[in-house]
Amino acid sequence: MAGGEENAAGEGSLGEPLPASDEPPQPLAEGLPEEQPRPGPPHREDEEEEEEESERSEGPLEGVLDEDTAAEGLHTFGRSAPGTEYVYLHLSLPGRDLSDISILSGYVHLQKMDLSSNKINGNELAEVRGLERCRSLSQLGLAHNRLAAVTGLRGLPIRSLDLVRENSLGLAGLGRAGNELAEVRGLERCRSLSQLGLAHNRLAAVTGLRGLPIRSLDLSFNQIEKVNGLKSLKNLQRVDLSHNKINSLQGLEEHDLLEVINLEDNQVAELSELQWIEDLPLLRVLNLLKNPLQKKDGYWLSAIFMLLQVTDLDRKKVSVKEKFEFGPFQQH
């Protein structure tokens, strides 16, 4: 009996058999139980982490100037314009395939920038944005781009602006398209501008420069027919109008500071056109090569006698002796 009790006690310790249930046994569920709530949308934090990871994997956007690239072009350490701190003053980033330079709005101390030869997939830098706050900028190079208009420079203290289209060999159209300015707009408030390069564009007339303090102006390799629009440029000292379609020198008169005029490869046909520049007191260099008037009888003698102040004509030096020798000859 004792053993039977022990056995009973041992069975009890293992647990009594459960009473039979009226409900049929439930099969094991596959996957998630039906009553378990479905997973909701991911948290915002997870989304942000995924976006950051995706951006890191993609790298910098093509054509958009970022801080790392800008840092590569910074040079010339010196005092800021107010003189209160030491900063980088110059930025040189030619040929970087840039189409968006808006990050430069934060580089307010830069004084010189070279952003020439920038393009992306054949669509080259078409407008200037991001320089509005660069209030110390005095020199800007934008050659070899595809600017259709000059915008985004209003009020900047720029003294030298290069919008030349020519390529690195100094020739046009050798596999590198350039700016395509058909008119000049957006420079009206650049009141410090003294040097402007607009060569190799599509300008048919000189406009948009009224009242600017320009001393050196390059308008070569355009489609200009008349020298209009220069009358108000009273500080003009050098002008390059070569390789255009100009047939008259009218418009160059009354520029008392003008020293150098380049009119090579134009359509000036009459010697009488020289009267328009006859009274320019400081004119020293005149180039009329490849103009029809060069074929006129007595061209050289007439030119050096009418323009006694000129010392270099058609890339040849004119001596004082020549002037006195040819002067009396011209009067007969």
Side-chain angles (χ1 to χ4, degrees):
M1 277 191 61
E5 289 177 359
E6 287 177 4
N7 186 40
E11 289 178 356
S13 65
L14 296 175
E16 299 283 341
L18 293 174
S21 173
D22 295 335
E23 297 180 2
Q26 298 293 327
L28 292 175
E30 295 182 1
L32 296 173
E34 292 182 359
E35 66 271 20
Q36 182 169 336
R38 296 180 180 179
H43 294 293
R44 181 63 184 169
E45 294 178 359
D46 296 336
E47 288 183 351
E48 291 176 353
E49 289 178 1
E50 290 178 3
E51 289 177 1
E52 290 177 1
E53 188 173 336
S54 174
E55 290 177 0
R56 283 194 296 269
S57 63
E58 291 177 1
L61 295 176
E62 187 176 11
V64 179
L65 179 59
D66 57 25
E67 290 184 359
D68 292 338
T69 305
E72 294 175 8
L74 291 171
H75 60 96
T76 310
F77 203 62
R79 284 187 179 275
S80 61
T84 56
E85 54 188 320
Y86 281 93
V87 294
Y88 283 108
L89 301 176
H90 299 172
L91 175 72
S92 182
L93 290 171
R96 297 300 188 100
D97 293 350
L98 299 176
S99 60
D100 185 340
I101 57 172
S102 55
I103 192 175
L104 294 180
S105 62
Y107 293 69
V108 296
H109 297 296
L110 286 175
Q111 296 178 6
K112 295 183 180 180
M113 289 188 197
D114 181 5
L115 298 171
S116 58
S117 303
N118 277 292
K119 62 179 182 178
I120 174 172
N121 295 331
N123 296 318
E124 302 169 0
L125 190 64
E127 58 183 331
V128 184
R129 290 184 180 178
L131 304 184
E132 296 82 0
R133 296 178 59 194
C134 298
R135 297 296 178 181
S136 299
L137 189 61
S138 63
Q139 184 172 324
L140 177 60
L142 291 169
H144 316 311
N145 283 288
R146 200 177 180 181
L147 295 168
V150 185
T151 58
L153 306 180
R154 176 170 294 182
L156 297 181
I158 296 175
R159 295 197 299 270
S160 177
L161 176 60
D162 184 4
L163 294 166
V164 176
R165 172 182 173 178
E166 66 183 20
N167 55 59
S168 58
L169 298 178
L171 300 173
L174 293 183
R176 183 184 293 278
N179 297 317
E180 297 184 350
L181 297 176
E183 60 179 330
V184 181
R185 291 182 287 115
L187 300 181
E188 296 84 359
R189 295 181 62 184
C190 294
R191 295 299 177 183
S192 300
L193 188 61
S194 62
Q195 183 174 332
L196 178 60
L198 291 167
H200 296 278
N201 281 285
R202 296 187 296 112
L203 298 172
V206 185
T207 59
L209 305 179
R210 182 181 297 274
L212 295 178
I214 296 173
R215 295 198 300 268
S216 179
L217 178 61
D218 185 355
L219 291 165
S220 60
F221 292 95
N222 278 283
Q223 302 169 21
I224 300 170
E225 297 181 1
K226 294 182 180 298
V227 187
N228 297 328
L230 300 183
K231 187 174 182 179
S232 66
L233 303 183
K234 299 302 183 183
N235 295 316
L236 195 60
Q237 297 175 5
R238 305 171 63 94
V239 61
D240 190 344
L241 292 161
S242 61
H243 306 282
N244 278 284
K245 302 176 181 179
I246 298 168
N247 56 25
S248 175
L249 304 187
Q250 185 175 5
L252 291 173
E253 70 276 13
E254 298 181 8
H255 284 90
D256 293 342
L257 300 180
L258 196 53
E259 300 174 5
V260 180
I261 301 175
N262 187 359
L263 281 158
E264 182 173 344
D265 193 14
N266 275 280
Q267 299 173 11
V268 182
E270 301 298 329
L271 289 169
S272 59
E273 291 296 328
L274 298 177
Q275 66 177 314
W276 297 107
I277 58 174
E278 186 176 8
D279 295 327
L280 298 182
L282 299 182
L283 183 62
R284 296 294 180 266
V285 180
L286 175 64
N287 185 1
L288 289 168
L289 288 171
K290 299 181 183 179
N291 279 271
L293 87 167
Q294 275 200 311
K295 298 178 181 179
K296 297 282 187 180
D297 292 337
Y299 159 72
W300 178 264
L301 301 182
S302 298
I304 64 174
F305 183 66
M306 289 182 69
L307 306 170
L308 292 174
Q309 71 276 40
V310 171
T311 58
D312 190 313
L313 176 63
D314 299 343
R315 299 183 183 174
K316 293 181 181 179
K317 294 294 182 182
V318 180
S319 66
V320 175
K321 183 178 179 181
E322 267 186 306
K323 291 180 182 296
F324 280 101
E325 285 181 354
F326 293 144
F329 171 82
Q330 179 66 22
Q331 288 178 318
H332 288 299

